Structure formats: structure tokens, C-alpha cells
Amino acid sequence: MAVRTRERHAAIHDLLAQGKTHTEICKILGLSDKTVRKFRRATTANQAFAGPRASLKQIERFASYLLQRWNQVIHDGAVLHAEIVAQGYQGSSRSVRRYLQPLRAGITRPQLPPPPPKVREVTRWITSHPDHLSEDDSANLAQVKTRSPALEQLSTHVTAFAEMLTGRHGDQLEDWLTAVEEDDLSHLHAFAHGIRRDHAAVLAGLTLPHSSGAVEGNVCRVKALKRQMFGRANLDPLRKRILLA
């Protein structure tokens, strides 16, 4: 191995003296690019023998400084390379990154928190009946309410209104309005103000079994037919469509 190393070193430097390029030397001797580069950098054949790299020997002079900076949470190889270059280091930044690689293996990456739920998801959790939520949805809703007192208050009012609406407990409307107005929820204040403006009708809707849903449904159907025929026919065909539909 020693004889072969010296022969390669002599052959490569002879070809260099003849003006051959790096690529031509690789083709002539049948050696890899990395091997030719190694012998080109070696001034003597002894320097070409396997052993610690010169850059590694250089960087060991700055090992204590690199470890100190690493413990100070400076893990950027380019920054550390610039700092030791200012102190006399002549190696490349790649050598510094390679030297730091064992230290990087010991870094525990912080676990990122899960992304926050979307507004639509939170709205569905709050407005759905608790029995219709899955275990995961119920747990997520409880977590959201723990993080936000405002959402906790909002969820409480929405649940109370839903129970009042489905159970026709109109007698609880005034207490619900008072509780909403006492909390700092401006969007619900506007809703409560609208209820007070039409208090009698809302109270009747929350108390009596009668509903105007059928009438409203027919009104929406007539409006949809009118929009479909706008600019296409006069009143007579529209009247027949409404009566015969």
C-alpha cells in the first residue's frame, strides 16, 4: 500500500507538471475524482497516507470554543465558522458542520403544538347537541373552552338558548336575556337587542306549538320561482307555476 501510494503520488504530480488537467489525469490513471484531488493536495507522498484530515487537526484547536458556543445554543455552522475564522481557522465551513454533526444528533427537536381548530369546527361543536358529538369533538370543545373564557360563556348561552327553543321554555327568555346582557359579549348583545325589539313574537315562538315555518317555506319557494322566470315570462305563467307546483 505504501509503494502504491508513492507511485500514485509521483504519477499524478508528473502529469500535473506536464500541464495535464484534473479530468485528464483521472482518465489517464483510471482514478476517481476524489482520489486524484487527495494526491494533488499532498505535497509529499507521506501526506497522502490515510490519517486525520488536516482540516480536522486544525479544527481541534477550536474544539473547546465550539463546545462553549454550542452550549450557548449557537448551533448555526456558518456562524460558528465565521467566528473561528476570525481566530485563525483556515478550514471550510463544511468541515465545521461535519465536526458538529455528532452534537446535532443529541438535539431533541421540540414538539410543535397541534394547529388550532378552524372557526367552522368550533362553531359546529358549540351549536351541536352534546349527544351528537364524538368523544374527540367533546374533548376538543372542552379544551377550547378552557383556553378561552369568552368561548366558555358563549357556549353556555348557546346551549341554554337551544334547550329553551327545543323545549319551548319561553318563561326562561327574560332570565336568558339578562344573563347575556351582563356578560361582555358584544355580538350576543346585538342578538339580545333584536329579540327585545320583537319580544312578544319571540316569546310566542318559544312557548306555543304553532310555527310559521310552513309559510316561510312557501315564501322562499315563490321567491325562487320568481328569480328563475325573471325577464323570461309575464305574470300568468308565474302564477300557474306557483299554483301547480
Side-chain angles (χ1 to χ4, degrees), residues 70-86:
W70 183 271
N71 293 332
Q72 295 174 354
V73 200
I74 307 299
H75 299 165
D76 192 331
V79 173
L80 295 175
H81 174 258
E83 292 180 0
I84 62 177
V85 165

Side-chain angles (χ1 to χ4, degrees), residues 158-234:
V158 170
T159 302
F161 190 86
E163 293 175 353
M164 182 171 53
L165 177 64
T166 55
R168 296 199 189 102
H169 302 301
D171 56 311
Q172 301 176 5
L173 178 61
E174 188 60 34
D175 294 337
W176 185 87
L177 291 173
T178 303
V180 167
E181 292 168 347
E182 289 178 352
D183 288 337
D184 187 16
L185 300 172
S186 58
H187 45 286
L188 275 187
H189 289 175
F191 180 68
H193 180 67
I195 290 179
R196 288 198 179 280
R197 285 187 303 177
D198 203 9
H199 187 275
V202 175
L203 181 61
L206 294 176
T207 306
L208 303 176
H210 310 296
S211 172
S212 61
V215 177
E216 295 296 336
N218 277 295
V219 170
C220 292
R221 182 178 63 86
V222 170
K223 290 181 178 179
L225 293 173
K226 183 182 70 173
R227 293 189 185 97
Q228 291 176 359
M229 301 182 63
F230 181 79
R232 299 179 181 178
N234 57 18

Side-chain angles (χ1 to χ4, degrees), residues 41-61:
R41 291 176 177 175
T43 307
T44 63
N46 292 333
Q47 294 179 359
F49 286 103
R53 299 181 179 180
S55 58
L56 182 58
K57 291 182 179 179
Q58 291 182 29
I59 202 170
E60 286 177 351
R61 295 169 43 205

Side-chain angles (χ1 to χ4, degrees), residues 122-130 141 145 150-166 176 179-180 183 185 187-188 191:
V122 178
T123 302
R124 180 177 63 83
W125 298 338
I126 293 177
T127 56
S128 297
H129 194 283
L141 177 59
K145 292 193 294 185
L151 284 178
E152 171 71 27
Q153 295 174 351
L154 175 64
S155 179
T156 301
H157 292 313
V158 170
T159 302
F161 190 86
E163 293 175 353
M164 182 171 53
L165 177 64
T166 55
W176 185 87
V180 167
D183 288 337
L185 300 172
H187 45 286
L188 275 187
F191 180 68

Side-chain angles (χ1 to χ4, degrees), residues 47-158:
Q47 294 179 359
F49 286 103
R53 299 181 179 180
S55 58
L56 182 58
K57 291 182 179 179
Q58 291 182 29
I59 202 170
E60 286 177 351
R61 295 169 43 205
F62 306 93
S64 59
Y65 177 80
L66 291 174
L67 182 59
Q68 175 186 353
R69 296 292 285 158
W70 183 271
N71 293 332
Q72 295 174 354
V73 200
I74 307 299
H75 299 165
D76 192 331
V79 173
L80 295 175
H81 174 258
E83 292 180 0
I84 62 177
V85 165
Q87 301 177 26
Y89 177 67
Q90 298 179 354
S92 64
S93 60
R94 182 179 180 182
S95 299
V96 176
R97 290 195 298 270
R98 187 185 300 115
Y99 185 82
L100 297 174
Q101 192 62 35
L103 298 177
R104 295 187 185 280
I107 295 179
T108 302
R109 295 185 178 273
Q111 293 185 353
L112 298 178
K118 297 180 179 179
V119 175
R120 181 178 298 179
E121 292 178 331
V122 178
T123 302
R124 180 177 63 83
W125 298 338
I126 293 177
T127 56
S128 297
H129 194 283
D131 295 340
H132 298 163
L133 294 176
S134 63
E135 293 183 1
D136 291 340
D137 290 342
S138 299
N140 291 331
L141 177 59
Q143 187 176 18
V144 167
K145 292 193 294 185
T146 302
R147 293 180 178 179
S148 174
L151 284 178
E152 171 71 27
Q153 295 174 351
L154 175 64
S155 179
T156 301
H157 292 313
V158 170

Side-chain angles (χ1 to χ4, degrees), residues 14-51:
D14 287 343
L15 293 174
L16 288 173
Q18 298 174 20
K20 300 297 183 179
T21 63
H22 181 89
T23 304
E24 291 174 342
I25 295 174
C26 293
K27 291 181 179 179
I28 293 172
L29 299 179
L31 299 176
S32 65
D33 177 81
K34 183 177 180 181
T35 302
V36 173
R37 185 181 299 108
K38 170 186 173 182
F39 283 96
R40 284 187 60 181
R41 291 176 177 175
T43 307
T44 63
N46 292 333
Q47 294 179 359
F49 286 103

